[in-house]
Amino acid sequence: MDILIKVLQLFLAFTLLVGIHEFGHFIMARIFRIRVEKFYIFFDPWFSLFKFRRGHTEYGLGWLPLGGYVKIAGMIDESMDKEQMKRPVQPWEFRAKPAWQRFLVMIAGVVMNVLLAVAIYCGVSYAWGESYFSNDDARWGYNFSDEGKALGFRDGDRIVAIDGVPAENVSKIISDLVITEGDRTVTVQRGGEEVALRLPLDELIALRKSKGYEHLMTLRIPFLIDSVDLAGTGAAAGLRRGDEIVAVDGERGLDFPQYAERIRRSAGDTVRLGVLRGGTELPLTATVSDEGLLGVYVGSPYTLRTREFTFWESIPAGIRKTGNVISSYWDQLRMIVQPKTKMYEEVGGFIAIGSIFPSVWDWQDFWLKTAFLSIILAIMNILPIPGLDGGHAIFTFWEMLTGRKVSDRVLEGAQYVGLAIILFLLLYANGNDIYRFFIK
């Protein structure tokens, strides 16, 4: 059932993204009175699931969910329909229009995907606000996994900055650490002092490949007393709500689970406590019950901060979010082509994309993931690879600059090269999926 929910979310998101993208090409072509012969969501080699014709356009749903397409009259595209190019140019064809109109038709799909992301982020900001854990609240620091300690972190370290940039959002710290093209310098607060840790690129690459970042660090839970059982031994010792236990029998620097375990080991005996109250540490002695308890209850000091937006505030918030995600993903894409980062080994296909969706249906998460995928689709399509929108656009842009149109023969050859590149990327990405999930 979990897999089915993931698949349904992926299918719904992909259908929406492909439909919006192709609608961009379609509507811009129609604005310039260019005839669109086919409008398909998903590919339809040999047959389609259903189709109908309205006017000059055949609308349909293909069976191969690797994308979609619009077949624009008079354009050399993935259909490789050479016969139409041999016929006399008609006024309603793509090739009959000025270069600036053809350029706009080519980039319209990318623009629609970006606008969709903006619309989604605006809607999410208005409906749910922006929730985050502030690093300012993490004054007790973090506990680190073995992988984190191997990098030089210690339990209780509080990350202050990464390469000199202050760490603000807890959920972004991990990605800021591991998505890099070079060594990282992390400033941590340790024992009241700031310490600089140098994290080599090769160790960060190994952390990414092993997915050791998934549990790299967790917020430390302090022994912060939320309430006291008046019949318990803690009340008799003088413990109060708001007290923080910072030492047990001389042991310091632990968090609540570790202090609680230390107290349990003294069941039926007494313990010496260091209690922080109003900024002053008090020494108290408490008797531990036979069950290993003090009769106090601990509360979490962490709250999920939520910034709410009015309708009008959500619009610039959505635009900023889109810009930040585009910038972040572009940086990742740039690092993929740099051999030293080895991020190309982590490229994934449909299995990797589907795995980002949760196994339960959460509309907020669904829309956030859909917006992110819409940006990925936009960026991937604008790359100057023949066969993609960016490849078509760059030839048209060259014509706009020079006044010389690229010959059909060159366009046809570039289309074959582009299709070969796209096929290779598809096989490589999905081959990585198969290797990681079924073989490795």
Side-chain angles (χ1 to χ4, degrees):
M1 189 64 180
D2 291 350
I3 295 178
L4 178 61
I5 292 175
K6 286 177 176 282
V7 171
L8 286 175
Q9 291 181 89
L10 175 61
F11 181 80
L12 179 59
F14 203 52
T15 301
L16 174 63
L17 298 180
V18 169
I20 287 291
H21 182 91
E22 300 306 333
F23 179 73
H25 294 307
F26 173 84
I27 195 65
M28 190 59 69
R30 298 305 299 133
I31 287 174
F32 295 132
R33 301 183 182 277
I34 301 172
R35 185 172 295 177
V36 179
E37 298 175 350
K38 286 187 175 185
F39 182 111
Y40 265 76
I41 295 177
F42 303 151
F43 295 128
D44 61 327
W46 304 295
F47 68 93
S48 58
L49 297 181
F50 76 87
K51 60 184 178 181
F52 65 92
R53 178 172 290 277
R54 180 170 294 175
H56 297 287
T57 306
E58 176 183 302
Y59 301 86
L61 177 67
W63 60 270
L64 187 61
L66 297 179
Y69 69 98
V70 289
K71 187 175 186 302
I72 298 175
M75 175 184 171
I76 297 176
D77 56 15
E78 59 271 13
S79 67
M80 298 306 293
D81 185 357
K82 299 179 183 179
E83 292 303 316
Q84 66 171 334
M85 307 306 292
K86 296 177 181 179
R87 296 191 291 266
V89 178
Q90 301 299 320
W92 36 261
E93 286 186 329
F94 178 82
R95 54 183 171 164
K97 303 299 178 179
W100 68 270
Q101 292 186 6
R102 285 183 275 124
F103 180 79
L104 291 179
V105 171
M106 285 298 94
I107 67 171
V110 169
V111 172
M112 286 297 289
N113 279 127
V114 173
L115 291 178
L116 175 63
V118 171
I120 291 175
Y121 284 132
C122 289
V124 169
S125 297
Y126 178 68
W128 289 286
E130 182 182 11
S131 298
Y132 65 98
F133 281 109
S134 172
N135 192 47
D136 292 338
D137 295 337
R139 56 192 181 91
W140 292 275
Y142 301 89
N143 284 334
F144 293 88
S145 64
D146 292 340
E147 291 87 350
K149 291 173 181 175
L151 291 172
F153 293 105
R154 298 180 188 174
D155 288 342
D157 284 353
R158 177 178 175 270
I159 295 176
V160 177
I162 300 174
D163 287 343
V165 179
E168 298 176 350
N169 190 333
V170 171
S171 63
K172 289 187 61 182
I173 290 177
I174 297 297
S175 60
D176 289 343
L177 275 177
V178 300
I179 304 301
T180 177
E181 54 189 292
D183 298 347
R184 286 291 199 202
T185 299
V186 182
T187 304
V188 301
Q189 196 171 57
R190 177 183 297 169
E193 298 180 353
E194 289 194 353
V195 178
L197 302 178
R198 187 78 171 175
L199 278 56
L201 175 61
D202 57 347
E203 294 186 18
L204 293 174
I205 291 172
L207 187 71
R208 285 204 314 265
K209 293 177 69 174
S210 67
K211 293 191 175 182
Y213 56 83
E214 291 182 346
H215 306 287
L216 184 70
M217 64 186 201
T218 56
L219 287 165
R220 285 170 68 87
I221 305 299
F223 202 145
L224 196 61
I225 298 176
D226 182 63
S227 60
V228 180
D229 183 353
L230 296 179
T233 60
L239 291 174
R240 303 176 187 174
R241 179 181 180 181
D243 286 349
E244 181 185 348
I245 295 178
V246 295
V248 175
D249 286 338
E251 289 191 54
R252 296 178 175 273
L254 307 181
D255 61 359
F256 166 66
Q258 295 167 324
Y259 281 132
E261 176 59 29
R262 179 64 186 82
I263 290 170
R264 274 193 294 269
R265 293 203 301 265
S266 298
D269 202 349
T270 59
V271 289
R272 292 176 291 108
L273 304 177
V275 179
L276 195 63
R277 179 183 298 168
T280 302
E281 185 174 329
L282 305 174
L284 295 178
T285 300
T287 300
V288 183
S289 71
D290 293 338
E291 292 78 22
L293 303 173
L294 293 177
V296 296
Y297 303 92
V298 172
S300 173
Y302 304 112
T303 56
L304 186 64
R305 298 192 184 189
T306 301
R307 180 184 176 187
E308 296 183 351
F309 300 91
T310 66
F311 176 80
W312 296 112
E313 289 173 338
S314 69
I315 296 174
I319 294 173
R320 284 195 303 271
K321 177 67 173 178
T322 303
N324 291 337
V325 174
I326 289 175
S327 176
S328 175
Y329 186 72
W330 183 258
D331 287 341
Q332 293 181 45
L333 192 63
R334 182 168 50 84
M335 285 187 284
I336 286 174
V337 299
Q338 297 186 29
K340 67 176 183 178
T341 68
K342 297 186 179 180
M343 283 192 68
Y344 57 86
E345 298 178 0
E346 301 164 45
V347 172
F350 290 103
I351 294 177
I353 294 173
S355 68
I356 72 173
F357 289 98
S359 56
V360 294
W361 200 286
D362 180 328
W363 279 111
Q364 181 183 6
D365 188 78
F366 170 79
W367 286 117
L368 288 173
K369 295 294 195 306
T370 300
F372 178 60
L373 291 176
S374 191
I375 288 173
I376 291 178
L377 185 60
I379 292 177
M380 294 303 295
N381 267 280
I382 205 62
L383 294 177
I385 298 176
L388 296 178
D389 296 342
H392 292 295
I394 200 167
F395 285 123
T396 308
F397 188 66
W398 170 260
E399 180 184 347
M400 292 167 60
L401 290 177
T402 64
R404 295 195 300 271
K405 188 174 182 180
V406 180
S407 70
D408 290 345
R409 184 176 179 181
V410 171
L411 291 176
E412 289 174 7
Q415 192 73 16
Y416 281 118
V417 172
L419 290 175
I421 294 173
I422 294 169
L423 180 60
F424 168 77
L425 292 175
L426 281 172
L427 291 175
Y428 178 77
N430 288 283
N432 273 351
D433 278 351
I434 293 172
Y435 175 74
R436 282 195 296 264
F437 288 94
F438 297 107
I439 299 175
K440 191 174 180 180

